[in-house]
Amino acid sequence: MSIPLFHVLILAGILFAMGLACTIAWRANVIMMLIGIEIMLNAVMLTLVGGSAQWGSADGQIFSLMLMALTSSEVSLALAMVVYLHRRKQSVDTDDFTSMKG
Amino acid sequence: MEATLFYILALVTLVGTGFAITARQAVRAIVYLVNSFFALALIFYLLGAPLVAAFEVIIYAGAIMVLFLFVIMMLDLGHPERMKSPRLVDWIPALVLVLVTAASVAVLAMEHHAQPLAAFSGISVRQFSQALFTRYGVAVELVSLQLLFALVGAIYLGRRR
């Protein structure tokens, strides 16, 4: 294994920043915000797998598997919510959902 | 050899993600992201995690992204005029964030000498599942409960009334 952990961490950091940028820039669109969250979670998984490779133990990989299960349940709930909101207002624009505004 | 492959795959991942977050149509963003996740799965394989790489392809690229695609097609969001894309002003905070992160990474890279990983041949599926089902048995139970709750919640939200 000739890949430095440092470079893996740099890649994960840049990926996380790109996911965060996606979530912030597309804040008017629910679907693209969810995609940004997916990118961030993948960056975290890359960090965990890199740590697992550095110390030669399975714990990081197990945690990334847990993270994957968490992500799939999060996405299923969030997309069900998107379908529900679209049925109510015919839109996925976050600016249209202001009914809780005082 | 491994290092070269890693840098190529890292480039593919970053370029795919960059295209995905700037795509004007949601379907294109999903396809670019699937591309980037495949490269990421190969990186996981290089880092000695074959099971996580397989799950990345099966669950992320195969299930989650297809779920996104289903919802986009079901709600007919494929047209760019139906999805408000961010104005140039909206990109400024995001760009500032990315620049700060890139600058801090560059500063760290200046004064840090990268050391290759120690000799390591990857974690076999047997080791992985032994650790998963003996030491982390409670976590498996919790995750299965959580998936059940997500299922019930999705059915509740999606029912017709």
Side-chain angles (χ1 to χ4, degrees):
Chain A
M1 189 69 51
S2 48
I3 307 163
L5 177 68
F6 189 55
H7 292 173
V8 177
L9 291 182
I10 287 179
L11 175 64
I14 296 175
L15 264 184
F16 190 89
M18 282 170 116
L20 197 55
C22 181
T23 310
I24 289 176
W26 287 84
R27 60 184 175 271
N29 188 326
V30 181
I31 297 218
M32 291 302 283
M33 274 170 74
L34 285 174
I35 288 176
I37 292 171
E38 293 306 303
I39 298 171
M40 284 195 273
L41 281 165
N42 261 283
V44 173
M45 273 171 47
L46 180 60
T47 315
L48 290 170
V49 172
S52 174
Q54 166 84 8
W55 286 286
S57 85
D59 299 0
Q61 296 185 14
I62 286 170
F63 200 81
S64 68
L65 192 72
M66 299 288 156
L67 205 58
M68 226 179 263
L70 186 140
T71 312
S72 52
S73 56
E74 172 249 331
V75 160
S76 63
L77 270 183
L79 285 178
M81 190 76 90
V82 168
V83 172
Y84 175 74
L85 291 177
H86 189 267
R87 209 182 279 157
R88 286 189 56 169
K89 291 246 176 127
Q90 308 298 319
S91 154
V92 290
D93 190 343
T94 45
D95 294 337
D96 289 344
F97 302 107
T98 53
S99 54
M100 282 181 76
K101 200 172 181 178
Chain B
M1 175 64 196
E2 278 170 343
T4 321
L5 211 53
F6 170 76
Y7 294 122
I8 294 171
L9 289 170
L11 195 69
V12 171
T13 310
L14 287 179
V15 170
T17 312
F19 277 130
I21 67 176
T22 51
R24 296 189 60 80
Q25 297 186 17
V27 178
R28 286 188 191 172
I30 299 286
V31 174
Y32 280 128
L33 212 59
V34 168
N35 190 7
S36 134
F37 284 167
F38 268 100
L40 203 61
L42 280 175
I43 291 178
F44 287 160
Y45 189 79
L46 280 183
L47 288 174
L51 209 61
V52 179
F55 279 131
E56 171 90 10
V57 171
I58 294 170
I59 297 180
Y60 260 102
I64 294 181
M65 288 299 128
V66 171
L67 200 63
F68 270 105
L69 219 54
F70 264 144
V71 168
I72 289 169
M73 288 178 177
M74 197 168 82
L75 305 182
D76 198 17
L77 301 170
H79 313 290
E81 65 274 5
R82 296 201 51 180
M83 289 205 345
K84 206 161 77 179
S85 47
R87 295 183 304 272
L88 220 54
V89 187
D90 292 340
W91 279 102
I92 291 175
L95 278 181
V96 168
L97 239 158
V98 170
L99 281 182
V100 167
T101 314
S104 45
V105 163
V107 168
L108 275 177
M110 291 290 176
E111 46 189 47
H112 190 285
H113 295 287
Q115 304 211 335
L117 293 179
F120 166 65
S121 57
I123 289 161
S124 66
V125 179
R126 179 186 292 271
Q127 281 172 297
F128 181 86
S129 12
Q130 259 176 358
L132 180 63
F133 288 112
T134 54
R135 247 185 309 160
Y136 294 100
V138 182
V140 174
E141 296 295 327
L142 283 177
V143 157
S144 53
L145 271 181
Q146 179 201 19
L147 285 171
L148 179 67
F149 294 154
L151 180 70
V152 173
I155 290 172
Y156 178 76
L157 280 173
R159 78 192 195 285
R160 299 233 169 250
R161 55 172 83 77

